[in-house]
PDB file of all heavy atoms in Angstrom:
ATOM      1  N   ASP A 277     189.418 255.590   8.401  1.00  0.00           N
ATOM      2  CA  ASP A 277     189.272 255.283   6.989  1.00  0.00           C
ATOM      3  C   ASP A 277     188.032 256.026   6.485  1.00  0.00           C
ATOM      4  O   ASP A 277     187.051 256.166   7.216  1.00  0.00           O
ATOM      5  CB  ASP A 277     189.083 253.766   6.845  1.00  0.00           C
ATOM      6  CG  ASP A 277     189.158 253.309   5.410  1.00  0.00           C
ATOM      7  OD1 ASP A 277     188.238 253.657   4.640  1.00  0.00           O
ATOM      8  OD2 ASP A 277     190.115 252.605   5.077  1.00  0.00           O
ATOM      9  N   PRO A 278     188.017 256.495   5.239  1.00  0.00           N
ATOM     10  CA  PRO A 278     186.862 257.224   4.710  1.00  0.00           C
ATOM     11  C   PRO A 278     185.530 256.476   4.815  1.00  0.00           C
ATOM     12  O   PRO A 278     184.477 257.092   4.842  1.00  0.00           O
ATOM     13  CB  PRO A 278     187.236 257.478   3.247  1.00  0.00           C
ATOM     14  CG  PRO A 278     188.725 257.509   3.252  1.00  0.00           C
ATOM     15  CD  PRO A 278     189.138 256.514   4.294  1.00  0.00           C
ATOM     16  N   VAL A 279     185.558 255.150   4.920  1.00  0.00           N
ATOM     17  CA  VAL A 279     184.316 254.386   5.048  1.00  0.00           C
ATOM     18  C   VAL A 279     183.569 254.786   6.323  1.00  0.00           C
ATOM     19  O   VAL A 279     182.339 254.702   6.382  1.00  0.00           O
ATOM     20  CB  VAL A 279     184.592 252.864   5.010  1.00  0.00           C
ATOM     21  CG1 VAL A 279     185.297 252.386   6.261  1.00  0.00           C
ATOM     22  CG2 VAL A 279     183.308 252.095   4.810  1.00  0.00           C
ATOM     23  N   TYR A 280     184.281 255.270   7.322  1.00  0.00           N
ATOM     24  CA  TYR A 280     183.627 255.661   8.571  1.00  0.00           C
ATOM     25  C   TYR A 280     182.799 256.938   8.418  1.00  0.00           C
ATOM     26  O   TYR A 280     181.853 257.148   9.169  1.00  0.00           O
ATOM     27  CB  TYR A 280     184.649 255.795   9.698  1.00  0.00           C
ATOM     28  CG  TYR A 280     185.117 254.444  10.173  1.00  0.00           C
ATOM     29  CD1 TYR A 280     186.293 253.881   9.684  1.00  0.00           C
ATOM     30  CD2 TYR A 280     184.369 253.717  11.090  1.00  0.00           C
ATOM     31  CE1 TYR A 280     186.709 252.629  10.104  1.00  0.00           C
ATOM     32  CE2 TYR A 280     184.779 252.466  11.514  1.00  0.00           C
ATOM     33  CZ  TYR A 280     185.949 251.929  11.021  1.00  0.00           C
ATOM     34  OH  TYR A 280     186.351 250.689  11.431  1.00  0.00           O
ATOM     35  N   ASP A 281     183.129 257.783   7.463  1.00  0.00           N
ATOM     36  CA  ASP A 281     182.297 258.962   7.201  1.00  0.00           C
ATOM     37  C   ASP A 281     180.897 258.520   6.783  1.00  0.00           C
ATOM     38  O   ASP A 281     179.896 259.066   7.237  1.00  0.00           O
ATOM     39  CB  ASP A 281     182.917 259.844   6.102  1.00  0.00           C
ATOM     40  CG  ASP A 281     184.162 260.566   6.562  1.00  0.00           C
ATOM     41  OD1 ASP A 281     184.264 260.883   7.764  1.00  0.00           O
ATOM     42  OD2 ASP A 281     185.040 260.814   5.714  1.00  0.00           O
ATOM     43  N   GLU A 282     180.848 257.515   5.914  1.00  0.00           N
ATOM     44  CA  GLU A 282     179.562 256.996   5.458  1.00  0.00           C
ATOM     45  C   GLU A 282     178.802 256.330   6.611  1.00  0.00           C
ATOM     46  O   GLU A 282     177.597 256.475   6.744  1.00  0.00           O
ATOM     47  CB  GLU A 282     179.782 255.989   4.325  1.00  0.00           C
ATOM     48  CG  GLU A 282     178.496 255.464   3.731  1.00  0.00           C
ATOM     49  CD  GLU A 282     178.763 254.500   2.591  1.00  0.00           C
ATOM     50  OE1 GLU A 282     179.560 254.846   1.691  1.00  0.00           O
ATOM     51  OE2 GLU A 282     178.166 253.408   2.619  1.00  0.00           O
ATOM     52  N   ARG A 283     179.522 255.606   7.432  1.00  0.00           N
ATOM     53  CA  ARG A 283     178.886 254.950   8.578  1.00  0.00           C
ATOM     54  C   ARG A 283     178.325 255.981   9.551  1.00  0.00           C
ATOM     55  O   ARG A 283     177.228 255.813  10.076  1.00  0.00           O
ATOM     56  CB  ARG A 283     179.870 254.038   9.291  1.00  0.00           C
ATOM     57  CG  ARG A 283     180.202 252.805   8.505  1.00  0.00           C
ATOM     58  CD  ARG A 283     181.186 251.935   9.219  1.00  0.00           C
ATOM     59  NE  ARG A 283     181.516 250.768   8.426  1.00  0.00           N
ATOM     60  CZ  ARG A 283     182.426 249.883   8.766  1.00  0.00           C
ATOM     61  NH1 ARG A 283     183.085 250.008   9.895  1.00  0.00           N
ATOM     62  NH2 ARG A 283     182.666 248.851   7.989  1.00  0.00           N
ATOM     63  N   ALA A 284     179.070 257.026   9.807  1.00  0.00           N
ATOM     64  CA  ALA A 284     178.598 258.084  10.707  1.00  0.00           C
ATOM     65  C   ALA A 284     177.353 258.755  10.142  1.00  0.00           C
ATOM     66  O   ALA A 284     176.385 259.015  10.866  1.00  0.00           O
ATOM     67  CB  ALA A 284     179.702 259.112  10.935  1.00  0.00           C
ATOM     68  N   ALA A 285     177.352 259.012   8.847  1.00  0.00           N
ATOM     69  CA  ALA A 285     176.182 259.611   8.203  1.00  0.00           C
ATOM     70  C   ALA A 285     174.971 258.694   8.306  1.00  0.00           C
ATOM     71  O   ALA A 285     173.842 259.148   8.538  1.00  0.00           O
ATOM     72  CB  ALA A 285     176.485 259.927   6.741  1.00  0.00           C
ATOM     73  N   ARG A 286     175.197 257.393   8.174  1.00  0.00           N
ATOM     74  CA  ARG A 286     174.102 256.430   8.279  1.00  0.00           C
ATOM     75  C   ARG A 286     173.533 256.390   9.701  1.00  0.00           C
ATOM     76  O   ARG A 286     172.329 256.331   9.891  1.00  0.00           O
ATOM     77  CB  ARG A 286     174.563 255.046   7.833  1.00  0.00           C
ATOM     78  CG  ARG A 286     173.421 254.067   7.676  1.00  0.00           C
ATOM     79  CD  ARG A 286     173.794 252.752   6.987  1.00  0.00           C
ATOM     80  NE  ARG A 286     174.985 252.121   7.522  1.00  0.00           N
ATOM     81  CZ  ARG A 286     176.148 251.973   6.849  1.00  0.00           C
ATOM     82  NH1 ARG A 286     176.259 252.425   5.625  1.00  0.00           N
ATOM     83  NH2 ARG A 286     177.171 251.378   7.402  1.00  0.00           N
ATOM     84  N   VAL A 287     174.401 256.458  10.700  1.00  0.00           N
ATOM     85  CA  VAL A 287     173.946 256.498  12.098  1.00  0.00           C
ATOM     86  C   VAL A 287     173.076 257.738  12.316  1.00  0.00           C
ATOM     87  O   VAL A 287     172.004 257.658  12.921  1.00  0.00           O
ATOM     88  CB  VAL A 287     175.138 256.484  13.076  1.00  0.00           C
ATOM     89  CG1 VAL A 287     174.703 256.853  14.483  1.00  0.00           C
ATOM     90  CG2 VAL A 287     175.815 255.132  13.061  1.00  0.00           C
ATOM     91  N   LEU A 288     173.524 258.864  11.805  1.00  0.00           N
ATOM     92  CA  LEU A 288     172.733 260.088  11.953  1.00  0.00           C
ATOM     93  C   LEU A 288     171.382 259.969  11.272  1.00  0.00           C
ATOM     94  O   LEU A 288     170.346 260.300  11.860  1.00  0.00           O
ATOM     95  CB  LEU A 288     173.486 261.291  11.378  1.00  0.00           C
ATOM     96  CG  LEU A 288     174.642 261.825  12.207  1.00  0.00           C
ATOM     97  CD1 LEU A 288     175.350 262.938  11.453  1.00  0.00           C
ATOM     98  CD2 LEU A 288     174.185 262.302  13.566  1.00  0.00           C
ATOM     99  N   SER A 289     171.370 259.504  10.045  1.00  0.00           N
ATOM    100  CA  SER A 289     170.121 259.485   9.277  1.00  0.00           C
ATOM    101  C   SER A 289     169.137 258.422   9.740  1.00  0.00           C
ATOM    102  O   SER A 289     167.928 258.614   9.628  1.00  0.00           O
ATOM    103  CB  SER A 289     170.392 259.336   7.787  1.00  0.00           C
ATOM    104  OG  SER A 289     170.951 258.081   7.501  1.00  0.00           O
ATOM    105  N   THR A 290     169.640 257.308  10.271  1.00  0.00           N
ATOM    106  CA  THR A 290     168.730 256.230  10.648  1.00  0.00           C
ATOM    107  C   THR A 290     168.405 256.173  12.135  1.00  0.00           C
ATOM    108  O   THR A 290     167.344 255.667  12.507  1.00  0.00           O
ATOM    109  CB  THR A 290     169.292 254.860  10.223  1.00  0.00           C
ATOM    110  OG1 THR A 290     170.523 254.632  10.905  1.00  0.00           O
ATOM    111  CG2 THR A 290     169.466 254.792   8.726  1.00  0.00           C
ATOM    112  N   ALA A 291     169.293 256.662  12.968  1.00  0.00           N
ATOM    113  CA  ALA A 291     169.082 256.528  14.416  1.00  0.00           C
ATOM    114  C   ALA A 291     168.927 257.855  15.133  1.00  0.00           C
ATOM    115  O   ALA A 291     168.025 258.028  15.952  1.00  0.00           O
ATOM    116  CB  ALA A 291     170.230 255.738  15.039  1.00  0.00           C
ATOM    117  N   VAL A 292     169.767 258.810  14.825  1.00  0.00           N
ATOM    118  CA  VAL A 292     169.797 260.063  15.594  1.00  0.00           C
ATOM    119  C   VAL A 292     168.722 261.035  15.132  1.00  0.00           C
ATOM    120  O   VAL A 292     167.887 261.467  15.914  1.00  0.00           O
ATOM    121  CB  VAL A 292     171.185 260.714  15.527  1.00  0.00           C
ATOM    122  CG1 VAL A 292     171.182 262.052  16.231  1.00  0.00           C
ATOM    123  CG2 VAL A 292     172.243 259.788  16.129  1.00  0.00           C
ATOM    124  N   LEU A 293     168.746 261.399  13.863  1.00  0.00           N
ATOM    125  CA  LEU A 293     167.848 262.445  13.384  1.00  0.00           C
ATOM    126  C   LEU A 293     166.360 262.100  13.480  1.00  0.00           C
ATOM    127  O   LEU A 293     165.566 262.957  13.868  1.00  0.00           O
ATOM    128  CB  LEU A 293     168.220 262.868  11.960  1.00  0.00           C
ATOM    129  CG  LEU A 293     169.552 263.614  11.863  1.00  0.00           C
ATOM    130  CD1 LEU A 293     169.919 263.897  10.412  1.00  0.00           C
ATOM    131  CD2 LEU A 293     169.530 264.898  12.665  1.00  0.00           C
ATOM    132  N   PRO A 294     165.937 260.880  13.174  1.00  0.00           N
ATOM    133  CA  PRO A 294     164.505 260.583  13.341  1.00  0.00           C
ATOM    134  C   PRO A 294     164.026 260.771  14.788  1.00  0.00           C
ATOM    135  O   PRO A 294     162.948 261.331  15.020  1.00  0.00           O
ATOM    136  CB  PRO A 294     164.385 259.126  12.900  1.00  0.00           C
ATOM    137  CG  PRO A 294     165.510 258.923  11.949  1.00  0.00           C
ATOM    138  CD  PRO A 294     166.625 259.759  12.512  1.00  0.00           C
ATOM    139  N   GLU A 295     164.833 260.337  15.734  1.00  0.00           N
ATOM    140  CA  GLU A 295     164.468 260.503  17.143  1.00  0.00           C
ATOM    141  C   GLU A 295     164.492 261.971  17.544  1.00  0.00           C
ATOM    142  O   GLU A 295     163.610 262.452  18.252  1.00  0.00           O
ATOM    143  CB  GLU A 295     165.425 259.711  18.037  1.00  0.00           C
ATOM    144  CG  GLU A 295     165.295 258.221  17.904  1.00  0.00           C
ATOM    145  CD  GLU A 295     163.948 257.706  18.397  1.00  0.00           C
ATOM    146  OE1 GLU A 295     163.528 258.098  19.502  1.00  0.00           O
ATOM    147  OE2 GLU A 295     163.310 256.949  17.658  1.00  0.00           O
ATOM    148  N   PHE A 296     165.490 262.659  17.071  1.00  0.00           N
ATOM    149  CA  PHE A 296     165.645 264.074  17.376  1.00  0.00           C
ATOM    150  C   PHE A 296     164.456 264.881  16.831  1.00  0.00           C
ATOM    151  O   PHE A 296     163.862 265.684  17.538  1.00  0.00           O
ATOM    152  CB  PHE A 296     166.968 264.552  16.768  1.00  0.00           C
ATOM    153  CG  PHE A 296     167.315 265.975  17.068  1.00  0.00           C
ATOM    154  CD1 PHE A 296     167.429 266.432  18.353  1.00  0.00           C
ATOM    155  CD2 PHE A 296     167.563 266.847  16.024  1.00  0.00           C
ATOM    156  CE1 PHE A 296     167.776 267.748  18.613  1.00  0.00           C
ATOM    157  CE2 PHE A 296     167.903 268.157  16.266  1.00  0.00           C
ATOM    158  CZ  PHE A 296     168.022 268.616  17.573  1.00  0.00           C
ATOM    159  N   ARG A 297     164.117 264.636  15.610  1.00  0.00           N
ATOM    160  CA  ARG A 297     162.998 265.372  14.991  1.00  0.00           C
ATOM    161  C   ARG A 297     161.654 265.010  15.585  1.00  0.00           C
ATOM    162  O   ARG A 297     160.708 265.792  15.498  1.00  0.00           O
ATOM    163  CB  ARG A 297     163.032 265.153  13.477  1.00  0.00           C
ATOM    164  CG  ARG A 297     164.246 265.852  12.864  1.00  0.00           C
ATOM    165  CD  ARG A 297     164.325 265.711  11.376  1.00  0.00           C
ATOM    166  NE  ARG A 297     165.453 266.478  10.875  1.00  0.00           N
ATOM    167  CZ  ARG A 297     166.270 266.076   9.921  1.00  0.00           C
ATOM    168  NH1 ARG A 297     166.076 264.905   9.348  1.00  0.00           N
ATOM    169  NH2 ARG A 297     167.271 266.827   9.540  1.00  0.00           N
TER     170      ARG A 297
END
Side-chain angles (χ1 to χ4, degrees):
D277 190 292
V279 70
Y280 286 96
D281 289 330
E282 184 178 310
R283 289 179 181 175
R286 191 169 49 247
V287 167
L288 285 175
S289 66
T290 62
V292 176
L293 291 175
E295 292 294 312
F296 184 57
R297 291 182 176 140

